[in-house]
Structures are given as structure tokens and as C-alpha cells.
């Protein structure tokens, strides 16, 4: 799980109440009632909330199947997890995967907000002991076992809700505030599953998760623009005399490339801040953290290799380099 994906300044400023709503969000909420059924119809049928809860074993298998049929990178990552933790990681992954899809794959902000509200209701039921969706039936076991606070899950939903109304960020601090909800909770969840609950490790994890989110943003400038979103701070566009039209027309001007060089270096600084976490966890988790951290830094290296010209040409990590990263992680596991 990379952090996942990416808010209204008023809602995400560290000094503001993250549960407050902008007028735009409030207007969308009023249209929720008829939207939920339409929203579910645009997603895989198995995502829908059933009338009655499945068994615990059926729910576990649901989460395993979801991971197998979605992203191969998570399947690779689970190979490095301790066997006794794999099901719990799969349960958390299933929650994050569907949450992200509710926000990003429906194609209708009103419907997405309606579905995210229903998903929040299921999360509340999970903590109250009465969930119906298989993800939450399985997740309830994980929550009880590791005593995970509910806000670590609901914070992600704050980010996905605000994706429906926010498409621009004025300052870099606004982007960081967004990462606080869209990326950092995932790192906290990993730490909880591995037995760590302290603020020091969570802060170091936040640096790494934010860096991963930034690397993903800088890699996907054109992809995100085609979805109507720009995660590059508007203040930086102005500072480097880059226009939104440049992004729209895939114009990798010298000014744009210079700006991206600056953004890449900034992301590298966040990776560097998070690296001490690797030395503060057990060896098995350290290998996984190094794998993901190096993978994120490889994205930044790929951006640099093509001269920071990311518009219209998404930087990718070569298959050879991916295999080298996995091989290094496997060797670290053996040693």
C-alpha cells in the first residue's frame, strides 16, 4: 500500500477541525440519499454491503481474494511478512483498497460521498461489534487483537471525502496537511500490527509515508490532471512561472522541469527524515520498510533520469530495478 492517494485547506489545516465541512461538501451531502445505490452499481458487485454478515472465515477469505486479484505489489510485499501477521495485513489492506476505490473509482462526487458515509457507518459498526461487510467482520478481529484506535481508519475517509471537492492546494503546507490524512494513517496501522504504539516511531513513519505520497504525486502529475486534480502547490507554480496550461498541454518547459527538480529534492528530504525508523523496529519490519522506502526513492530517481519532464510521460521503475529491490529485500530477510 503506497499511501494511497491524496484537500481542502480549511478542513486539513492542522489547527482546524478535520470533521468540519465546507459549503461545497455540505451541498453535496444534501444530494446523498438517491446517490448511494447508483454509486455501488459503478463498483465491483462484491464491494456492496450485504444484508447479513458472513462468517469470520468467509470474511478472511474475502480479504485474501481481494489482495490476490488487485495489486501484485501487495502480494509481493506480503511474502516478506511474518506468517502470523499476514491475515491482519490483508484485512487492513482490504479496508484501504475499498476505501480508496469508493473515493476514486465512482466518477461522481455526490455518489462517492454517499458511499463513504455508508462505509463510515460500517466502520462504526465494526467498533460497536455489529458489522455486516466482510471487510469489517475480518477487521474487527484485527482491531481487537492490536487495540487499534478508530481514528486511524476514519482519518483515511476524511481524505477520500475531501478528494470529492478539493482539486488544488495553495501551499506546500496544505499538501502536507492532506498527507496527514491520506498517507500517514497507513504507516500508523503498520506499526500497530507490528506492536509499536509510541509517538516517536509514528512521527518517523509519517515522514516516510508523506515522502511516498509526494513521490506518487510528482510521478503522476499528468494522470492526476486528467482527473481534474493538481497536487503541486500553486505557490510553486507561480514562483517558477509555470501555468496550469503548461500542465494541460504537457509542456515540459525549462521552468517546469526546474520546479520538478525542486519538488523531487524536497521529497528526498522527507525520505531522509524517516530513515531512522528502520533502526528502531525489528529486523523483519525493517526489511519491509527499507523495501518501500527504496521503492519510493527509485520513483524520484526515475523522474530525475528523464530530466524531470514528467508531463505526458509517466516515470516508471524498470522491471529489472524492481526485481533488484525485491531480491535485496529477500536477501536481507535471509540474513
Amino acid at each position: 500500500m503506497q499511501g494511497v492517494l491524496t484537500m481542502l485547506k480549511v478542513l486539513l489545516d492542522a489547527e482546524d477541525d478535520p470533521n468540519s465541512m465546507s459549503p461545497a461538501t455540505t451541498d453535496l451531502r444534501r444530494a446523498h440519499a438517491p446517490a448511494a445505490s447508483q454509486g455501488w452499481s459503478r463498483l465491483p458487485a462484491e464491494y456492496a454491503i450485504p444484508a447479513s454478515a458472513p462468517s469470520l472465515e468467509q470474511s478472511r477469505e474475502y480479504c485474501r481474494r481481494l489482495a490476490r486479484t488487485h495489486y501484485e505489489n501487495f502480494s509481493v510485499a506480503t511474502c516478506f511478512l511474518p506468517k502470523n501477521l499476514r491475515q491482519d495485513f490483508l484485512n487492513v489492506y482490504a479496508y484501504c483498497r475499498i476505501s480508496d476505490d469508493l473515493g476514486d473509482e465512482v466518477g461522481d462526487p455526490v455518489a462517492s460521498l454517499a458511499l463513504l458515509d455508508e462505509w463510515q457507518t460500517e466502520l462504526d459498526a465494526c467498533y460497536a461489534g455489529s458489522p455486516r461487510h466482510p471487510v469489517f467482520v475480518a477487521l474487527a478481529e484485527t482491531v481487537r487483537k492490536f487495540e487499534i484506535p478508530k481514528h486511524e481508519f476514519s482519518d483515511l475517509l476524511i481524505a477520500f471525502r475531501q478528494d470529492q471537492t478539493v482539486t488544488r492546494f495553495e501551499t506546500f503546507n496544505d499538501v502536507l496537511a492532506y498527507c496527514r490524512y491520506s498517507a500517514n494513517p497507513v504507516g500508523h496501522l503498520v506499526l500497530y500490527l507490528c506492536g509499536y504504539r509510541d509517538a516517536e516511531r509514528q512521527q518517523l513513519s509519517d515522514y516516510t509515508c508523506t515522502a511516498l505520497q509526494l513521490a506518487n504525486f510528482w510521478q503522476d502529475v499528468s494522470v492526476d490532471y486528467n482527473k481534474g486534480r493538481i497536487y503541486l502547490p500553486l505557490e510553486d507554480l507561480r514562483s517558477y512561472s509555470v501555468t496550469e496550461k503548461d500542465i494541460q498541454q504537457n509542456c515540459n518547459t525549462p521552468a517546469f522541469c526546474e520546479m520538478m527538480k525542486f519538488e523531487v529534492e524536497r521529497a528526498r528530504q522527507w525520505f531522509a527524515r524517516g530513515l531512522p525508523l528502520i533502526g528502531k523496529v525489528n529486523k523483519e519490519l525493517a526489511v519491509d520498510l527499507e523495501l518501500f522506502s527504496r521503492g519510493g526513492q527509485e520513483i524520484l530517481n526515475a523522474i530525475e533520469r528523464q530530466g524531470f519532464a514528467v508531463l505526458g510521460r509517466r516515470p516508471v521503475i524498470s522491471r529489472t530495478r524492481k526485481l533488484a529491490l525485491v531480491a535485496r529485500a529477500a536477501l536481507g530477510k535471509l540474513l
Side-chain angles (χ1 to χ4, degrees), residues 122-142:
E122 272 295 291
L123 176 62
D124 295 339
C126 172
Y127 275 80
S130 57
R132 289 181 294 148
H133 196 284
V135 164
F136 291 103
V137 174
L139 192 64
E141 180 182 47
T142 299

Side-chain angles (χ1 to χ4, degrees), residues 262-283:
F262 168 74
E263 304 295 0
V264 164
E265 181 55 37
R266 187 146 61 175
R268 283 176 172 151
Q269 291 171 6
W270 284 82
F271 274 118
R273 293 180 185 182
L275 283 177
L277 179 61
I278 294 173
K280 295 179 180 292
V281 297
N282 63 56
K283 292 180 180 178

Side-chain angles (χ1 to χ4, degrees), residues 217-233:
F217 286 160
W218 307 160
Q219 178 187 36
D220 286 337
V221 176
S222 290
V223 173
D224 290 330
Y225 185 80
N226 290 335
K227 295 178 181 178
R229 300 170 187 166
I230 295 178
Y231 293 105
L232 290 162

